């Protein structure tokens, strides 16, 4: 099978299943996981799929394509891919928030419907599981997104190095969510939630 044909087959498989593991694709197509990663690169760059923790998920759908790629599911701001937070739901759909702030709030709304949450490490821009990440809040670096701004890091020592230069506090996922919940009660959030 030619690389182009294999990419089309990968695209079809992911579109059908919505989310697949790299190992599943490798087995299905009879090629190495490294080959799958190479084949996925142009699909990721085109915004057709997104790499998740250990797999890949379909982003485009005929009815939701524009909103999934360009608009935050929580506040409706334009999504900056570098700050995006993805919620993969138990029904295999995906919602994209513009930042960790909105992703945490939307995840709280969805509760048990969330199967997995992923975001990008702020320094290395690699995909990480939100449940295993460390979050910095209260930093002096202003990225122009929702407040309080929350930046994800895969490794705690990277977050510690970051706050040496830009201040802030390091929190676990649960601590970041708790802090957001308190600020919601106190009315200090700066995010325009969509009206349903």
């Amino acid at each position: 099978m030619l690389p182009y044909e294999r990419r089309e087959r990968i695209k079809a498989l992911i579109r059908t299943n919505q989310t697949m593991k790299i190992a599943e694709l490798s087995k299905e197509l009879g090629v190495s996981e490294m080959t799958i990663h190479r084949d996925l690169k142009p699909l990721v760059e085109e915004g057709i799929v997104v790499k998740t923790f250990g797999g890949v998920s379909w982003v485009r759908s005929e009815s939701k394509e524009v909103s999934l790629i360009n608009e935050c599911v929580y506040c409706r701001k334009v999504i900056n891919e570098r700050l995006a937070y993805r919620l993969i739901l138990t029904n295999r759909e995906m919602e994209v928030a513009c930042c960790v702030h909105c992703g945490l709030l939307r995840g709280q709304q969805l509760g048990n419907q969330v199967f997995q949450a992923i975001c990008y490490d702020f320094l290395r821009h690699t995909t990480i599981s939100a449940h295993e990440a460390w979050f910095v809040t209260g930093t002096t670096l202003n990225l122009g997104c929702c407040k309080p701004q929350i930046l994800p890091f895969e490794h705690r020592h990277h977050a510690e190095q970051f706050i040496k230069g830009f201040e802030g506090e390091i929190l676990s996922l649960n601590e970041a969510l708790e802090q957001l919940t308190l600020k919601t009660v106190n009315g200090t959030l700066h995010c325009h939630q969509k009206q349903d």
Side-chain angles (χ1 to χ4, degrees), residues 76-127:
R76 301 257 190 231
K77 286 183 183 176
V78 173
I79 293 173
N80 173 347
E81 189 60 33
R82 181 164 172 71
L83 302 175
Y85 187 98
R86 287 178 169 74
L87 297 160
I88 300 169
L89 309 182
T90 53
N91 65 2
R92 294 184 172 237
E93 289 185 14
M94 183 179 0
E95 293 189 1
V96 184
C98 62
C99 59
V100 172
H101 169 113
C102 288
L104 290 176
L105 292 173
R106 181 62 177 155
Q108 188 176 39
Q109 285 178 337
L110 294 170
N112 292 335
Q113 294 177 55
V114 177
F115 171 70
Q116 185 179 30
I118 58 171
C119 51
Y120 291 107
D121 178 281
F122 184 72
L123 289 180
R124 301 179 322 141
H125 197 61
T126 55
T127 306

Side-chain angles (χ1 to χ4, degrees), residues 21-37:
K21 298 281 185 197
I22 299 297
E24 292 173 325
L25 288 167
S26 172
K27 184 177 178 184
E28 177 76 28
L29 296 167
V31 294
S32 72
E33 290 186 17
M34 184 57 74
T35 299
I36 296 296
H37 282 287

Side-chain angles (χ1 to χ4, degrees), residues 47-73:
I48 295 170
V49 299
V50 62
K51 284 191 176 180
T52 61
F53 197 68
V56 63
S57 292
W58 185 254
V59 173
R60 289 189 179 173
S61 74
E62 282 61 52
S63 61
K64 298 181 183 176
E65 184 173 333
V66 173
S67 65
L68 281 175
I69 294 172
N70 296 323
E71 190 176 89
C72 177
V73 70

